[in-house]
Amino acid sequence: MTFRLGFGLVALVMVVAAYMVVRSRNLVRAVLWLALTLLGTAALYALLDAPFLAGVQVLTYVGGVVTLMIFGVMVTGRHEGAVAEIDSADRIRGLLVALGFFGLVSGAILKTDFSAVIAPRPPSTAELARSLLDDYLLAFEVTSLLLLAAVVGAVVLARRRDPGPVGEGSPR
Amino acid sequence: MNASVLLGGMALGAPALAALLLVLVPWVRHRGVPAAAVTIAGSLVATAAAAKLVLDRGLGAPDVRVTTPWLRAQGQTLAEVGLQLDGISVVMLLVVTVVALCVQVFSLEYMREETPRSYGRYFAYHALFLFSMNLLVLAPNLLQLFAGWELVGVTSYLLIGFYFAKPSAARAAVKAFWMTKLADMGFLFGLLLLFASTGSFEWTVAASPTVATAVTALLFVAVVGKSAQFPLHVWLPDAMEGPTPVSALLHAATMVAAGVYMLVRADPLFVRAPATRELMLWVGTATAAFAALLALVQTDIKKVLAYSTCSQLGLMVAAIGAGSAFAGFFHLGTHAFFKALLFLAAGSVIHAVHSNELGAMGGLGRRMPLTSAVFLVGALSLAGVPGFAGFASKDLVLSSVEGKAGWVPWVLLMASAFLTALYMGRVLIKAFLGPPSPAAAHAHEPGLSMTGPLVLLAVPAVFAGFLGTWLAHSVGADYHLHLGLTPVVASAAALLGLAAAGLVFGAGRSAPWAAVLESLDRRGLVDRAWEALYRQVLLRVSGWARWVDRYLVDGVINALGWSTLEAGSAVRPLQTGRTRDYVFAVMVGALVLAWLGGWR
Amino acid sequence: MRLTDVLLLATLVFSIGLYGVLTRRHAVALLLSIELMANAANVVFVAFATLRGGPGEALVLFALVVTVSEVAVGLALVMLLYRRHGDTVLDLARETKH
């Protein structure tokens, strides 16, 4: 019962926030709405008995990603919603596809009988940690490499070229 | 192998080898005289083989026919090549080879003033011609005959245009080729129709009357061209641009006779086509009369003989049209000898006075007795004076048209016989009698190599007529000399004609009505008609064809190309460069696939 | 039942994010929409993991790392876009079009 109530609340928050993300003209506000959606997700994880994940979600997403986004918006200077309007053709297309997708997948979900499998106990944090370093060790290591590559890549892509001795200045 | 087949092979192969050698080994050709030796050697072999074949036949050798498959398709044989040695082909072979040999020997001296390279080229063409003609004569079916027919057409072109640097000669060669090629379309279509209807090219093929009429009509078109019948006769007088020996061989005795030969060969087919025969009768008669009139007013001795050939061929065609292929064949044989004789004798005269014009001649009877004598023999034979070969065969021709088509052809042909005697008499008087012209005053007889063939040809020009019975027996035809209306009238016509010539043209007179006759030289009219046909009709049709090709055929291709480019341009906007659109496309595709994938 | 609800929620959020990807012109806005979609996918994993068992949670951790990397690189690209064209409208990056 409580689950239903809590879930309902969280769901509402998430959906509204998500909608506002895609509809806000002001980019800073859009980012903040995203932050709210992500927080809602964290709450959902908590409700689903995955507290560790909830914590990680808050840390990485809300703390890290959102901050990044804010920086991105600020640096590029275009945050006052002066971006040109989308044309209606795009909107109709988008709506159709989104609705189509939603209809298709939700239809599939509703038609599936999920009661067959008995729900086991969700893993504890300790178990999760062990599986990371035991069953999924390779994935773990590879992912860390990926992270490294991404970081280096982002730095390389975004750096400003130093001006030469004669002072060429602007990026090649 | 059968001895006859071997002989036939030699008759075909010797000239072929000679031609091949002369084509492939240029230095022999360029030396001149060696080329002549090669060609004449080949001709000698061929003549000897032909003579032996005739001899064997006289001793009772049977008909021989050997063929080997040539064109095959889907396991069936479409066409064969080979040799057919029967009464008709063996005799024709002998006639052709003897005349060819005489002409070639005559040419040794006649063409002596040519450069060695030209001399060699001349004899190379002669070898090629003899091979082609023999191929035609010995053909076992219509297809091989057609092959030979086309080949002799080519050699005719080459030889008429022998003096290719001379514009009139070059034009004459093209004209001859073009006209005969046009007529040969008839042959081609006739062959195609024949094969399509009956599946065979044989002489004795069984065809329904409708098919036979169509095929024979088409084949006759080709004969009209090749044998210079009206209205396709205009190339023959122009063909006199070639060297005189060539005129003697190709355009009197053999090549133009090939049309008649084909008619004789394919007679079984023509039997079923009375309509075509009727046409032949009239065309032949008309040509005989018309050409004889034109021969009367020519001033060039070769042109007289050319029109005379047209006329005589008309006689042959008419005879075959009247139903007597044997009469046509008989006259073909005798005509070959005396016409070749006349041409070579004319050549001797031309060589002596350095001109073709009758006006430049005169009184040569005294200065060139041998030439004059043989020319006289030939002329009498042509005129149909009794006792000469021409009389016997012409008599048979005239007999065969007795009573046909209300006696009209008979009357017209008798008239042409009269005219023949008249124009030959005119030539005899103008060239050989009377006072000599300045050029003729220095004329003299040529050497043995030229007089020898003349004498040789004079013999059959007289005596070949007596072989009529033997010949008829050999080919299985019916023939017997008879005394009746026709021979009497014919003899009278001939003698009267000669007498009239003496009266009209003798003593240097040219009657006022000769001028009237001269105005009849309407050759220009027919020529102009053909030219108009070419320009107005053929070129116009070509223009239409070009339009079709450019706008329809090319148009289709161009349209294909254009539409491809247009389609490309139409599709190009899909590449917007916008990520949004691509995501959209991916999502749509994914949704469609999910749907199709069985969302049940 | 609970599973179904959670799944439906995730699908809805994903669809909203999809709409955003298809309609927004600003590059950063696009990234935000992508974030929504990735997030929704993670929710699905967690839902299955906690309510049905399986490796879902671990998978989510890895997915998280990948997503974060993608955001970092994406933002670097946005920087480049801005520097090159003076604007962040994604349509400006048209180099793939002839």
Side-chain angles (χ1 to χ4, degrees):
Chain A
M1 178 57 190
T2 39
F3 175 84
R4 295 302 294 257
L5 197 67
F7 176 74
L9 210 63
V10 168
L12 187 68
V13 166
M14 278 179 71
V15 171
V16 169
Y19 179 73
M20 290 314 292
V21 169
V22 299
R23 294 290 282 166
S24 280
R25 296 262 186 84
N26 186 328
L27 270 178
V28 177
R29 294 225 183 121
V31 174
L32 290 174
W33 282 115
L34 180 69
L36 189 57
T37 314
L38 297 173
L39 276 172
T41 318
L44 187 58
Y45 290 163
L47 272 175
L48 289 174
D49 288 326
F52 178 67
L53 237 57
V56 170
Q57 174 87 357
V58 173
L59 271 174
T60 52
Y61 269 123
V62 182
V65 173
V66 169
T67 318
L68 266 180
M69 292 291 194
I70 297 278
F71 270 124
V73 169
M74 292 302 187
V75 166
T76 55
R78 292 290 207 145
H79 53 271
E80 280 306 321
V83 178
E85 285 303 311
I86 29 179
D87 46 328
S88 47
D90 280 350
R91 245 193 258 173
I92 293 171
R93 278 198 318 193
L95 203 60
L96 281 174
V97 171
L99 281 175
F101 180 82
F102 182 71
L104 200 70
V105 178
S106 53
I109 293 169
L110 289 170
K111 281 193 174 187
T112 317
D113 184 12
F114 289 111
S115 56
V117 183
I118 308 165
R121 194 174 49 85
S124 68
T125 311
E127 283 168 355
L128 186 60
R130 172 170 306 136
S131 71
L132 271 186
L133 292 171
D134 195 350
D135 301 323
Y136 308 119
L137 183 59
L138 181 63
F140 185 79
E141 298 297 338
V142 170
T143 314
S144 51
L145 274 176
L146 174 68
L147 199 53
L148 179 65
V151 168
V152 171
V155 168
V156 166
L157 279 174
R159 70 181 167 153
R160 279 189 199 278
R161 302 313 191 255
D162 282 337
V166 199
E168 297 139 30
S170 59
R172 278 190 271 117
Chain B
M1 194 198 296
N2 196 322
S4 301
V5 173
L6 186 66
L7 289 169
M10 280 165 65
L12 204 56
L17 274 173
L20 207 63
L21 178 72
L22 290 173
V23 164
L24 294 177
V25 187
W27 68 260
V28 173
R29 210 169 63 227
H30 292 165
R31 285 241 168 41
V33 175
V38 168
T39 301
I40 292 183
S43 307
L44 270 170
V45 171
T47 311
K52 182 78 172 68
L53 278 167
V54 171
L55 208 66
D56 285 347
R57 242 198 121 67
L59 296 172
D63 291 353
V64 173
R65 187 170 182 271
V66 286
T67 57
T68 171
W70 176 33
L71 294 175
R72 270 193 251 249
Q74 295 171 336
Q76 281 180 303
T77 303
L78 293 179
E80 305 171 314
V81 290
L83 298 169
Q84 179 156 341
L85 302 161
D86 57 20
I88 302 176
S89 62
V90 161
V91 168
M92 184 73 182
L93 186 70
L94 184 63
V95 170
V96 167
T97 49
V98 166
V99 175
L101 187 63
C102 288
V103 164
Q104 285 167 10
V105 171
F106 186 90
S107 304
L108 284 173
E109 166 113 9
Y110 191 83
M111 302 293 286
R112 207 168 36 114
E113 275 140 36
E114 297 292 319
T115 65
R117 284 176 88 112
S118 282
Y119 200 72
R121 181 165 64 96
Y122 177 82
F123 279 97
Y125 289 160
H126 262 286
L128 185 63
F129 170 76
L130 188 59
F131 163 68
S132 312
M133 193 70 204
N134 288 351
L135 188 71
L136 193 158
V137 168
L138 295 175
N141 55 40
L142 269 170
L143 192 65
Q144 184 172 324
L145 192 143
F146 184 57
W149 181 285
E150 293 293 319
L151 276 173
V152 297
V154 169
T155 40
S156 166
Y157 164 79
L158 290 171
L159 283 166
I160 296 174
F162 183 72
Y163 300 118
F164 55 78
K166 197 173 165 219
S168 55
R171 273 200 294 273
V174 171
K175 181 173 173 179
F177 194 67
W178 194 90
M179 296 202 83
T180 49
K181 189 55 67 185
L182 180 68
D184 290 349
M185 289 292 107
F187 206 142
L188 188 63
F189 286 122
L191 278 177
L192 290 173
L193 185 60
L194 184 67
F195 190 74
S197 332
T198 61
S200 160
F201 294 109
E202 303 297 318
W203 308 120
T204 50
V205 63
S208 69
T210 339
V211 169
T213 310
V215 171
T216 52
L218 287 167
L219 291 176
F220 183 58
V221 170
V223 173
V224 169
K226 185 70 101 186
S227 298
Q229 300 298 292
F230 182 86
L232 286 167
H233 63 281
V234 290
W235 66 269
L236 192 55
D238 285 3
M240 298 298 112
E241 292 280 345
T244 307
V246 169
S247 307
L249 183 58
L250 271 75
H251 305 122
T254 50
M255 191 197 85
V256 294
V260 176
Y261 183 71
M262 188 261 271
L263 290 176
V264 171
R265 277 308 222 178
D267 199 51
L269 197 60
F270 281 78
V271 167
R272 296 165 201 263
T276 314
R277 277 186 159 182
E278 177 103 12
L279 179 68
M280 283 160 60
L281 177 62
W282 287 109
V283 171
T285 308
T287 307
F290 171 72
L293 278 172
L294 287 175
L296 198 50
V297 296
Q298 300 300 315
T299 55
D300 179 333
I301 193 173
K302 283 180 72 173
K303 292 236 162 60
V304 174
L305 293 175
Y307 279 110
S308 169
T309 305
C310 272
S311 175
Q312 297 300 304
L313 288 168
L315 272 171
M316 298 175 216
V317 169
I320 302 178
S324 175
F326 177 70
F329 183 62
F330 191 20
H331 198 55
L332 176 62
T334 57
H335 174 265
F337 288 121
F338 60 68
K339 194 45 78 60
L341 174 64
L342 283 168
F343 261 109
L344 288 183
S348 170
V349 166
I350 292 168
H351 194 75
V353 304
H354 303 292
S355 164
N356 288 15
E357 296 294 317
L358 285 173
M361 306 170 191
L364 290 169
R366 248 167 285 127
R367 300 211 52 88
M368 299 174 73
L370 187 82
T371 303
S372 312
V374 296
F375 194 91
L376 182 66
V377 167
L380 290 175
S381 202
L382 172 57
V385 170
F388 291 85
F391 168 74
S393 58
K394 189 177 285 194
D395 174 55
L396 191 60
V397 166
L398 290 165
S399 306
S400 66
V401 300
E402 268 179 23
K404 298 267 187 331
W407 288 88
V408 173
W410 190 89
V411 170
L412 285 172
L413 289 179
M414 277 298 177
S416 76
F418 172 76
L419 288 169
T420 305
L422 188 62
Y423 65 67
M424 282 319 286
R426 171 173 172 261
V427 171
L428 280 169
I429 291 170
K430 282 201 182 259
F432 297 98
L433 301 176
S437 67
H442 304 285
H444 59 89
E445 286 286 4
L448 185 64
S449 65
M450 279 170 74
T451 53
L454 288 175
V455 172
L456 189 62
L457 285 174
V459 173
V462 177
F463 295 110
F466 298 109
L467 295 171
T469 325
W470 174 83
L471 186 64
H473 174 72
S474 178
V475 304
D478 207 21
Y479 173 60
H480 44 273
L481 286 166
H482 66 287
L483 200 64
L485 180 68
T486 300
V488 170
V489 177
S491 312
L495 293 167
L496 278 171
L498 287 170
L503 278 171
V504 174
F505 301 106
R509 278 185 295 166
S510 70
W513 51 273
V516 171
L517 286 174
E518 246 144 60
S519 69
L520 279 175
D521 188 353
R522 281 271 161 262
R523 177 166 63 91
L525 195 72
V526 181
D527 260 327
R528 277 202 296 275
W530 282 111
E531 189 180 334
L533 197 70
Y534 171 72
R535 282 192 205 289
Q536 303 311 321
V537 178
L538 185 64
L539 287 183
R540 203 162 281 177
V541 171
S542 296
W544 294 339
R546 187 184 61 200
W547 184 91
V548 167
D549 182 52
R550 190 178 291 175
Y551 294 108
L552 293 183
V553 176
D554 280 357
V556 168
I557 306 299
N558 290 345
L560 274 177
W562 176 86
S563 58
T564 308
L565 289 173
E566 282 300 307
S569 298
V571 173
R572 199 173 297 127
L574 278 179
Q575 292 282 347
T576 58
R578 296 191 312 192
T579 326
R580 241 182 307 151
D581 298 328
Y582 299 156
V583 172
F584 175 66
V586 168
M587 285 312 303
V588 168
L591 286 178
V592 169
L593 281 175
W595 175 271
L596 292 173
W599 176 78
R600 291 178 209 96
Chain C
M1 222 158 318
R2 291 150 108 194
L3 183 60
T4 312
D5 296 336
V6 178
L7 290 180
L8 283 173
L9 171 65
T11 311
L12 185 58
V13 172
F14 187 92
S15 306
I16 293 171
L18 184 59
Y19 176 77
V21 166
L22 289 169
T23 35
R24 299 294 296 230
R25 292 185 65 173
H26 197 283
V28 176
L30 196 81
L31 283 174
L32 295 178
S33 308
I34 292 172
E35 273 311 302
L36 277 181
M37 291 164 77
N39 193 56
N42 284 348
V43 166
V44 171
F45 281 128
V46 171
F48 271 108
T50 58
L51 296 172
R52 285 284 172 266
E57 292 195 24
L59 231 156
V60 166
L61 286 173
F62 293 125
L64 221 101
V65 172
V66 173
T67 312
V68 164
S69 313
E70 161 249 313
V71 165
V73 175
L75 281 172
L77 287 174
V78 170
M79 293 277 187
L80 276 179
L81 185 72
Y82 177 68
R83 268 188 227 146
R84 186 184 260 257
H85 297 282
D87 199 350
T88 50
V89 173
L90 199 58
D91 292 349
L92 290 167
R94 301 187 117 211
E95 282 81 0
T96 53
K97 180 174 167 60
H98 158 64

